[in-house]
Amino acid sequence: MTHAMSPVQLILPKRFADPRGWFMEVYSEPKFRERGIDCDFVQDNHSLSIPAFTLRGLHFQTPPHAQDKLVRCVRGRIFDVAVDVRRDSPTFGKWVGAELSAENGHQLFVPVGFAHGFLTLEPDCEVTYKVSALYAPECDGGIRWDSAGVDWPLPAGAEPILSDKDAQLPSLSDFSALFPYNGRPLGPLA
């Protein structure tokens, strides 16, 4: 593996298949460090979204409990997004997204300084993700789903299903960036 330039990375684990099914390695600390992903994961989270077009996000945790995330979909399909919210970043407010599914096995690494969210593309989606800091409610934050120009794959005229909390998040334009820029601008997903 080579060091990726973009801080947000699409990870494509290799599957080893035979007539019984398949096996894949979803996380290997040495292999991730080779990619420039140098964090210690301390908590795993698992969510179920029952209706299609449920949108969760766009979330982050602020310092001193900011989180790196490694996200994968273990049932169904989602459109997973990261938005740059780092102060002084030349790509502030830009986003990248990818379809993650149980079928494709892809994962998205979302580092500190990026708001994260996903839209379910079918019913009964389960998402798991590792985080590098424990949940700290006093550092919980986010921006409104429709304030960063994300091209969510919603059917024409449809609105996503949101939690009350997510519906009340501030817009990106009202957000005061608390995350420093580390010199790595957001780039396209490989």
Side-chain angles (χ1 to χ4, degrees):
M1 286 187 249
T2 59
H3 178 69
M5 293 305 295
S6 181
V8 177
Q9 296 184 42
L10 185 62
I11 312 292
L12 310 174
K14 184 174 180 182
R15 285 189 174 168
F16 300 92
D18 66 24
R20 301 169 299 162
W22 54 260
F23 168 86
M24 82 178 178
E25 186 178 88
V26 297
Y27 177 73
S28 165
E29 182 182 36
K31 289 179 182 176
F32 274 62
R33 289 199 193 283
E34 286 176 23
R35 294 182 68 103
I37 299 172
D38 189 16
C39 61
D40 295 317
F41 292 113
V42 298
Q43 180 175 311
D44 283 1
N45 300 321
H46 190 148
S47 72
L48 167 66
S49 298
I50 296 171
F53 308 113
T54 295
L55 195 147
R56 295 180 184 265
L58 297 156
H59 303 143
F60 51 78
Q61 267 192 191
T62 58
H65 300 288
Q67 296 176 325
D68 300 296
K69 295 179 180 179
L70 180 61
V71 184
R72 68 189 182 113
C73 183
V74 296
R75 182 166 61 151
R77 293 182 310 123
I78 65 170
F79 184 66
D80 204 36
V81 170
V83 178
D84 190 345
V85 292
R86 297 170 297 165
R87 175 180 65 247
D88 302 323
S89 170
T91 53
F92 179 84
K94 304 292 186 207
W95 64 275
V96 291
E99 184 175 305
L100 309 182
S101 69
E103 185 176 324
N104 70 24
H106 297 173
Q107 300 177 87
L108 194 66
F109 175 72
V110 181
V112 167
F114 289 81
H116 169 256
F118 64 85
L119 176 72
T120 63
L121 302 176
E122 56 189 56
D124 301 319
C125 289
E126 290 187 59
V127 174
T128 65
Y129 56 100
K130 296 181 163 311
V131 293
S132 63
L134 298 175
Y135 175 63
E138 70 278 11
C139 296
D140 193 21
I143 57 172
R144 205 173 60 237
W145 70 277
D146 59 352
S147 68
V150 174
D151 187 14
W152 298 103
L154 287 161
E159 289 290 321
I161 300 166
L162 301 169
S163 70
D164 291 341
K165 177 182 163 185
D166 287 354
Q168 302 301 315
L169 289 172
S171 70
L172 178 63
S173 62
D174 294 333
F175 172 67
S176 297
L178 304 170
F179 301 97
Y181 176 60
N182 63 359
R184 292 177 64 195
L186 180 63
L189 296 175

